[in-house]
Amino acid sequence: ELRHQASPWQRNLGYPLAMLGLLALTGISVLIVCFHVLELLLDDAAMPRGMQDASLGQVSFSIFGSFGAALQVVLIFYLMVSSVVGFYSSPLFTRLLPERQDTPLTKIIGNCVSLLVLSSALPVFSRTLGITRFDLLGDFGRFNWLGNFYIVFLYNMGFAGLTTLCLVKKVSWAVQAELIRAFGEDR
């Protein structure tokens, strides 16, 4: 319904640019995670432990400087938004979505708890995936399991594999549907 009410500029330029942006962000995050997997295999320093003797402002956390730092911020924001969208899209939590002017207090509390858990897990999530090396001035790098190579390696491989699978499935199904529609075989 909203697509039909959208202006032609929005339909022909806005939606494709948004999809290309989402594809680019997903591809970049998978690429960074794949490089992190290679780092894990080659160097023990790539493990997401706490920082030792690195003063804030004296050590660059990105090899690309300011552009890399901005890219990390954008990717972390993208991971946050995609985590929330994925959480509320799962069949178990769709009934937790608030309704306008008709949300009971227990559902509001459930939403607050869910968002608090998701936002608390985000620093560990981005650190484990190798998207950022910033310590976030907390004890996130001091979890014992972050020093276990197998858990971190499988976590990274699982993220890269499942994200790539979802990306390929989504893109290939969309292309397949467009080809069927273009050749007129949908009738």
Side-chain angles (χ1 to χ4, degrees):
E1 225 175 89
L2 290 175
R3 285 186 191 168
H4 295 296
Q5 293 175 356
S7 69
W9 282 98
Q10 197 173 12
R11 271 190 312 240
N12 297 327
L13 187 66
Y15 292 145
L17 284 178
M19 285 304 295
L20 284 176
L22 290 174
L23 283 173
L25 286 173
T26 306
I28 290 170
S29 63
V30 168
L31 192 64
I32 287 175
V33 170
C34 289
F35 280 129
H36 187 247
V37 167
L38 286 175
E39 278 182 324
L40 284 171
L41 291 174
L42 300 175
D43 189 13
D44 189 46
M47 291 295 288
R49 295 187 195 104
M51 294 183 343
Q52 289 88 12
D53 302 331
S55 300
L56 192 61
Q58 293 180 350
V59 178
S60 177
F61 292 107
S62 176
I63 58 173
F64 297 115
S66 299
F67 174 74
L71 181 67
Q72 285 178 356
V73 168
V74 169
L75 283 177
I76 290 171
F77 183 72
Y78 167 70
L79 285 175
M80 179 189 67
V81 170
S82 63
S83 295
V84 170
V85 169
F87 176 78
Y88 283 115
S89 299
S90 67
L92 187 62
F93 299 106
T94 52
R95 62 177 191 267
L96 192 61
L97 277 169
E99 295 109 23
R100 187 177 179 153
Q101 301 288 332
D102 190 32
T103 305
L105 184 61
T106 54
K107 197 180 277 192
I108 292 172
I109 292 171
N111 279 301
C112 290
V113 168
S114 301
L115 291 175
L116 180 65
V117 168
L118 285 173
S119 64
S120 297
L122 187 65
V124 178
F125 180 60
S126 60
R127 178 97 186 235
T128 305
L129 291 177
I131 291 175
T132 185
R133 299 210 192 300
F134 191 57
D135 201 18
L136 298 174
L137 303 177
D139 290 333
F140 299 110
R142 293 180 183 40
F143 293 127
N144 291 335
W145 63 269
L146 287 178
N148 188 337
F149 171 78
Y150 297 109
I151 292 175
V152 173
F153 180 74
L154 289 174
Y155 192 83
N156 278 274
M157 290 299 293
F159 177 83
L162 291 173
T163 304
T164 303
L165 181 71
C166 290
L167 192 64
V168 167
K169 180 182 135 186
K170 194 67 143 175
V171 170
S172 67
W173 279 6
V175 169
Q176 182 183 6
E178 276 300 312
L179 287 174
I180 289 172
R181 191 176 63 83
F183 289 121
E185 294 181 16
D186 58 340
R187 290 181 217 128

